[in-house]
Amino acid sequence: MLKKWFNPLVRQFFPRRCAVCGNVLHEEEDFLCLACNMNLPRTGFHLQQQNPVEKLSWPNIPLQHATAFFYYRKGSDFRTLLHLLKYGHRRDLGVKMGRMVAAEIKEEMPEFFEGVDVLVPVPLHPMKMRMRGYNQSSYIAKGISEMTGIPVENKSVVRLKNNDAQSSTSLLDRWQNVEGIFALHRSADFTGKHVLIVDDVLTTGSTLTACGNAFSDVPDVKISFLALCKSE
């Protein structure tokens, strides 16, 4: 009863605001207002056979599905979502966006998550992890897990190299930059499993490919990829 009266009082003085436009949210809205939710540049890739993400080069990976949920465009207001998630300590946005992604994909393409045994977020290098304090992809995976019931595994894949930012390198450099940067512990735990690798931003696919290649020696493993957004 106290919570019922206390929350509206707090929101009078500290209203919840849309993460994109800053407008005050209505009670039924979550982190996006209705207008921003409708205008979110969704890709719809999960509804397309041989979608643009699946058509990227995934050498030596037993790929099942691959998608990215919305477009990340320079100058777009929606870049605020990624900035708040990665640099604004808004871990809650990762969870909420993960829930939204999973809910929409489950409704529109249930088979995307069917048979997936484990969610593996792309890990940060320990140095970057200490600087940032959290891995944004882990929070996206947490939200997906809450909607699908698929467990998250955060410790099996480790990042060995603190490579340079991908956005500042050429296409060739990006692939060379991520070669051998991930390692897999307890590989036997993944034998015969379907692993869904989760990341925040997809550019060329080089980072996701490098992460997927960490499972290359695992017998009968299957790999899928899900990125929150794809840069253009």
Side-chain angles (χ1 to χ4, degrees), residues 66-87:
T67 193
F69 187 65
F70 70 93
Y71 290 108
Y72 179 79
R73 295 170 174 142
K74 290 184 178 180
S76 166
D77 291 340
F78 292 98
R79 71 189 188 283
T80 305
L81 289 172
L82 269 295
H83 190 272
L84 289 172
L85 173 59
K86 294 182 73 168
Y87 309 112

Side-chain angles (χ1 to χ4, degrees), residues 139-219:
Y139 285 90
I140 298 168
K142 183 176 186 293
I144 294 171
S145 177
E146 290 178 1
M147 295 302 297
T148 63
I150 303 169
V152 180
E153 172 52 62
N154 280 300
K155 297 181 178 179
S156 293
V157 179
V158 295
R159 197 170 195 134
L160 304 176
K161 177 184 174 185
N162 188 20
N163 55 316
D164 296 329
Q166 293 290 83
S167 59
S168 62
T169 56
S170 69
L171 181 60
L172 178 60
D173 288 340
R174 285 171 182 167
W175 283 93
Q176 293 175 338
N177 200 28
V178 297
E179 186 176 356
I181 68 169
F182 297 104
L184 177 65
H185 295 321
R186 303 194 309 272
S187 60
D189 293 349
F190 295 93
T191 299
K193 298 292 181 66
H194 186 173
V195 179
L196 176 57
I197 298 175
V198 179
D199 204 3
D200 55 349
V201 182
L202 170 69
T203 304
T204 64
S206 56
T207 299
L208 283 174
T209 298
C211 192
N213 281 337
F215 294 86
S216 60
D217 294 330
V218 179

Side-chain angles (χ1 to χ4, degrees), residues 79-149:
R79 71 189 188 283
T80 305
L81 289 172
L82 269 295
H83 190 272
L84 289 172
L85 173 59
K86 294 182 73 168
Y87 309 112
H89 303 284
R90 289 292 305 274
R91 299 168 175 83
D92 62 302
L93 280 182
V95 177
K96 291 174 180 179
M97 285 190 281
R99 289 177 191 150
M100 181 176 72
V101 170
E104 293 193 22
I105 292 179
K106 274 184 67 178
E107 180 177 356
E108 297 172 348
M109 187 193 174
E111 58 269 29
F112 188 92
F113 294 109
E114 287 179 1
V116 175
D117 297 293
V118 62
L119 306 173
V120 174
V122 173
L124 296 179
H125 187 269
M127 183 183 299
K128 187 169 288 186
M129 186 71 171
R130 286 193 296 270
M131 291 174 60
R132 185 171 295 168
Y134 62 97
N135 179 3
Q136 67 276 3
S137 295
S138 292
Y139 285 90
I140 298 168
K142 183 176 186 293
I144 294 171
S145 177
E146 290 178 1
M147 295 302 297
T148 63

